């Protein structure tokens, strides 16, 4: 939302470039975030069973999984995206902005996935407000770096739409650094001794993929519909592409509310299943449906 809004204030053609890049980025970004979010029910299950000693190992398996997944997204951004963009018939400036935006955004893939893993841990431990505060902190960080790099403020080069990608990546690195500090200092997390690195356990990574791939696949299927529409818009003038992206911004924000209910359900249901309180599982499922409907 921040990238789109600030780029739109800068130049319409640059916004069209960011729009095309976003249409390619978002489905795969959400796919990988969905896979990593499988850590939430796994840890919730352990907590419900009272097996807190398993949390550190599973957390590290997802850290390793995140690093592996980031390599896949790197390949898609640097090899796949340019091929797709070059065949869409975009204006030269729009195509150049889209490619540069994606390349700079790729610098933030590793911190983004690692932060998502840490956030999943916080959520599973019931620290959802902490996750919210961290994500709210991302807004001024992203906005400040974007402003400096899009418009060339404070002595930085004027990069236009590509600067939004770099600004977002820098914001993710700062957010990762802050979240790691909290990970080692927060009293509710410190007891799990996460500073002690755990070895790679193939079975743990397999379990993460077994549970995470369907979650990521569901999110991918939901989001890719909108992205395909965005790519089909490439045949229209850049002003139409930019307008479409501005409208999509609002619908994406509204999507956050049912997605939040979904996240909460993963936490409470996995905990109750771990504790074998199946009547409470049914109650929470009913509550989740009613809340989503409202």
């Amino acid at each position: 939302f921040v990238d789109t809004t600030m780029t739109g204030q800068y130049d319409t053609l640059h916004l069209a470039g960011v729009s095309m890049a976003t249409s390619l980025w978002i489905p795969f970004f959400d796919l990988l975030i969905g896979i990593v979010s499988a850590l939430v029910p796994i840890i919730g299950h352990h907590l419900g069973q009272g097996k807190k000693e398993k949390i550190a190992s599973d957390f590290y398996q997802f850290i390793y999984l995140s690093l592996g997944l980031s390599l896949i997204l790197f390949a898609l951004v640097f090899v796949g995206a340019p091929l797709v963009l070059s065949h869409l018939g975009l204006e030269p400036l729009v195509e150049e902005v889209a490619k540069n935006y994606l390349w700079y955004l790729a610098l933030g893939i590793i911190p983004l996935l690692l932060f998502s893993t840490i956030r999943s841990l916080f959520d599973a431990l019931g620290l959802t407000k902490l996750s919210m505060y961290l994500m709210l902190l991302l807004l001024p960080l992203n906005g400040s770096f974007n402003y400096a790099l899009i418009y060339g403020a404070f002595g930085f080069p004027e990069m236009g739409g590509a600067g939004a990608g770099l600004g977002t990546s820098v914001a993710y690195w700062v957010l990762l650094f802050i979240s790691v500090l909290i990970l080692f200092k927060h009293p509710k997390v410190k007891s799990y001794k996460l500073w002690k690195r755990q070895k790679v356990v193939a079975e743990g990574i397999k379990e993460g993929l077994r549970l995470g791939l369907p979650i990521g696949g569901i999110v991918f299927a939901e989001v890719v519909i909108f992205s395909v529409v965005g790519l089909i818009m490439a045949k229209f003038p850049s002003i139409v592409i930019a307008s479409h992206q501005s409208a999509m911004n609002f619908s994406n924000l509204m999507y956050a509310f049912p997605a939040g209910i979904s996240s909460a359900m993963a936490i409470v249901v996995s905990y109750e299943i771990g504790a074998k309180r199946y009547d409470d599982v049914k109650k929470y499922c009913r509550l989740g449906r009613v809340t989503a409907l409202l």
Side-chain angles (χ1 to χ4, degrees):
F1 183 91
V2 172
D3 285 1
T4 300
T5 303
M6 297 187 77
T7 308
Q9 293 295 318
Y10 178 79
D11 183 84
T12 302
L13 289 179
H14 281 250
L15 174 56
V18 170
S19 171
M20 288 292 103
T22 302
S23 294
L24 288 174
W25 168 267
I26 288 293
F28 297 101
F29 158 79
D30 282 349
L31 170 66
L32 300 190
I33 296 297
I35 293 171
V36 169
S37 71
L39 181 61
V40 174
I42 288 173
I43 290 181
H45 200 253
H46 290 331
L47 290 172
Q49 291 178 316
K51 296 179 179 178
K52 295 183 178 181
E53 69 280 358
K54 290 188 175 183
I55 289 175
S57 177
D58 277 320
F59 172 72
Y60 270 94
Q61 303 320 306
F62 273 81
I63 290 290
Y64 302 137
L65 183 59
S66 296
L67 293 172
L69 291 172
S70 65
L71 296 177
I72 297 172
L73 196 50
F74 270 124
L76 289 170
V77 168
F78 286 104
V79 180
L83 289 174
V84 174
L85 290 169
S86 62
H87 286 85
L88 290 177
L90 300 168
E91 294 179 45
L93 177 59
V94 174
E95 183 180 334
E96 182 187 354
V97 170
K99 288 179 180 177
N100 290 337
Y101 175 83
L102 280 173
W103 287 339
Y104 283 122
L105 200 59
L107 299 176
I109 288 173
I110 290 175
L112 172 62
L113 285 174
L114 291 178
F115 168 71
S116 297
T117 303
I118 294 172
R119 196 184 80 185
S120 293
L121 174 69
F122 290 158
D123 288 346
L125 295 176
L127 301 171
T128 50
K129 281 187 181 178
L130 177 58
S131 293
M132 181 181 71
Y133 294 144
L134 285 169
M135 291 306 293
L136 288 174
L137 178 62
L138 183 63
L139 293 176
L141 286 172
N142 195 7
S144 301
F145 292 132
N146 275 11
Y147 180 76
L149 293 165
I150 292 173
Y151 297 99
F154 314 118
F156 288 93
E158 185 178 337
M159 299 173 66
L166 182 56
T168 301
S169 289
V170 174
Y172 281 138
W173 277 107
V174 174
L175 193 64
L176 175 63
F177 177 74
I178 294 169
S179 62
V180 169
L181 286 178
I182 295 172
L183 191 68
F184 295 153
K185 297 292 184 182
H186 195 285
K188 195 168 181 179
V189 185
K190 197 160 58 171
S191 61
Y192 297 105
K193 300 178 181 178
L194 296 174
W195 60 86
K196 292 182 179 179
R197 192 170 68 86
Q198 304 285 322
K199 64 181 181 180
V200 176
V201 179
E203 199 57 43
I205 292 177
K206 282 181 186 175
E207 185 187 11
L209 285 172
R210 183 180 60 80
L211 193 63
L213 278 172
I215 298 172
I218 291 165
V219 181
F220 180 86
E222 291 171 352
V223 174
V224 77
I225 298 167
F226 299 102
S227 292
V228 168
V229 171
L231 293 173
I232 291 171
M233 301 290 286
K235 68 178 184 178
F236 292 99
S238 296
I239 189 76
V240 178
I241 297 171
S243 302
H244 176 262
Q245 182 62 24
S246 298
M248 284 295 296
N249 246 3
F250 183 76
S251 64
N252 288 340
L253 277 183
M254 294 302 99
Y255 181 73
F257 292 101
I261 296 166
S262 171
S263 298
M265 292 296 292
I267 298 168
V268 294
V269 169
S270 62
Y271 186 92
E272 297 302 338
I273 287 176
K276 296 184 178 179
R277 291 193 288 260
Y278 300 117
D279 286 339
D280 289 340
V281 170
K282 292 176 183 176
K283 289 176 185 176
Y284 276 124
C285 287
R286 283 195 295 271
L287 280 170
R289 285 196 291 270
V290 171
T291 310
L293 184 61
L294 291 171

